[in-house]
Amino acid sequence: MEMGFLIVFSVLFLVIGIVILIGKGDRFVKCLNRPGAERYNVKRVRLLHALLMFVGATSFALFPIFLQNVKLTQIIGGVMAFLAAIIIVLQYTWAKNS
């Protein structure tokens, strides 16, 4: 039962990532919906947020495969959290206009 939910969330994150990447989902991106949005490079922010959604989709897709091995699941979770942290840092450094 729980594996079905993980696959549904994986597909949902994948679809939201594609919508953001093609530029139709700017309402999902917080820094583009507030005052001072001109400080950010919109294409880079879209790319980073789409990558964040793809990392989430990948983690939801991989967890059911490695659910029996607790150590491997913890490693995958740690790697995904590390990638998400890198993407968030890049949003506030690389994606800002100079």
Side-chain angles (χ1 to χ4, degrees), residues 3-4 15 20 25-26 30 35 41-42 49 59 68 80 89-90 92 94:
M3 285 194 245
V15 168
I20 289 172
D26 286 345
K30 180 180 177 184
N41 184 327
V42 176
H49 280 267
S59 73
Q68 300 301 321
M80 295 301 170
V89 167
L90 284 174
Y92 291 106
W94 178 66

Side-chain angles (χ1 to χ4, degrees), residues 43-58:
K43 289 182 181 181
R44 289 181 180 178
V45 170
R46 285 180 186 154
L47 176 67
L48 290 173
H49 280 267
L51 284 174
L52 193 59
M53 290 292 117
F54 296 150
V55 165
T58 304

